[in-house]
Structure formats: structure tokens, C-alpha cells
Amino acid sequence: MANRIWNPDMECMSRKDLEALQLERLKALVDYCDKNVKFYHDRFEKHGITGARGQAESGFAVARKTGLPILEQGLAEGRSLNDCLCAALMHILVTTQDTNLIKRSNLAVLGQIQGAVSAMLAVRPYPDRQILEALDQTFIRRNLSPGGSADLLAATCFFHFLKQAGTAGVSPEETGVSRD
């Protein structure tokens, strides 16, 4: 029975066909969850939370209007990319309804976290490593993850590097970063 192929069509398909199949199944799963997962409909719609879909529909406004300015300001001040990204993540966290945090806790906990981080940012808009490590330990202890905010940070990076590409022959208008 060693080296037996049970389903040649599935087990021997090309990489391209496998990736197409994976994408097709992922789309079907997302569509199914969107239509059938009670958690999202009950909890999010009740409170007007739009999550990733709402961010996409807004052109990732939080990334463009919150994360990107913090990132660019810090870089202009000579801060490291890492420090600027950490600060951008914290600013994004306080300005968005992070659905991952909500799912792992509730809206009240999200509000508490946002209040604490907002107070921290009022004193230190670019928090140092010790502050961030303490916050990280709190998140770990409470099994919390700002995954939605991290996704928006990735979009912030995308817009930042897209704008940089604008200086290499692509106009800022073509990047769409300044979209309002």
C-alpha cells in the first residue's frame, strides 16, 4: 500500500490547478460563513460593526487616515520603521472596532483596551518597547489579539510602500492612497 495514489485527479494536479481549487474553496467558505455564521450576524449587526468588509468598502480608511499619517510622521522625525509601525498599530487599535478583540471578549473589553491605549498614546504617541511588551503580556494573559488592527497595519504598510513607489515613476494619483 506504500506510495498508492487514491485519487489521481486530486493528488496529481498541477500547482496552478491546486491553487485555483484552494481559492475556490476559500471563497466558498467565506461566502458560507458570511451567510450562515450566527455569531457575526447577531453580535456585529446588532452593534453596527462592519469588520473587514466595512474597511474594504471604505477603501481602508483607517489605514489611510490613521495608520499612514502616524507611520509617515514618525519616519519624518527619524524614528525606526519598527517604532513607527508599533505606534501606527496602537493608533489603529483605538480608532477601529477590532472584530478579533470583540470575538475573544466583548465590546466592553474593547472599550477598556481602547481607553487604556488612548491614555498611553496621549502621553507617548510613539510608545517605547517596555510599554508595548507590558501591553503584549496583558493581551497574552487575557487571550486577546488585535488581529483586525494588525490587518489594517498591513494595509498601512501597503499604502506606505505604494506611495514610495510613486516616487519611482508612479504618480500619487495612480496609487489611490489619497482617496477620500
Side-chain angles (χ1 to χ4, degrees):
M1 289 214 297
N3 297 324
R4 179 157 178 156
I5 297 175
W6 297 98
N7 186 339
D9 290 340
M10 297 300 279
E11 295 176 52
C12 299
M13 70 175 58
S14 71
R15 180 74 167 178
K16 182 180 175 184
D17 290 342
L18 176 62
E19 289 174 357
L21 177 64
Q22 289 171 331
L23 180 59
E24 176 186 320
R25 288 183 177 179
L26 178 61
K27 286 180 180 179
L29 177 63
V30 169
D31 186 50
Y32 174 84
C33 288
D34 184 49
K35 292 176 182 170
N36 299 294
V37 177
K38 189 172 173 27
F39 171 82
Y40 294 104
H41 294 286
D42 290 354
R43 206 171 205 189
F44 292 173
E45 287 183 14
K46 175 181 175 184
H47 298 286
I49 299 169
T50 60
R53 177 169 285 157
Q55 280 300 315
E57 288 171 355
S58 76
F60 298 97
V62 171
R64 288 182 296 103
K65 295 179 180 180
T66 300
L68 189 59
I70 293 297
L71 172 60
E72 291 177 340
Q73 177 185 337
L75 291 172
E77 293 172 358
R79 298 176 189 277
S80 73
L81 179 61
N82 185 68
D83 289 349
C84 296
L85 291 173
C86 288
L89 177 62
M90 295 297 101
H91 285 270
I92 289 168
L93 176 60
V94 300
T95 59
T96 191
Q97 293 178 313
D98 190 307
T99 54
N100 197 49
L101 279 172
I102 295 168
K103 182 167 175 128
R104 290 181 174 218
S105 60
N106 56 50
L107 283 169
V109 170
L110 175 65
Q112 291 168 355
I113 290 168
Q114 288 178 322
V117 172
S118 185
M120 172 192 70
L121 292 173
V123 176
R124 293 192 92 128
Y126 292 84
D128 63 32
R129 185 179 182 105
Q130 287 178 319
I131 292 170
L132 294 170
E133 285 176 353
L135 182 61
D136 184 46
Q137 289 304 311
T138 300
F139 284 171
I140 290 169
R141 252 190 334 276
R142 297 178 70 182
N143 192 33
L144 299 173
S145 171
S149 298
D151 291 343
L152 290 169
L153 180 63
T156 298
C157 290
F158 173 78
F159 290 128
H160 170 70
F161 291 115
L162 191 61
K163 279 180 76 174
Q164 282 191 332
T167 62
V170 179
S171 73
E173 293 78 28
E174 290 175 300
T175 66
V177 172
S178 60
R179 177 181 157 198
D180 286 314

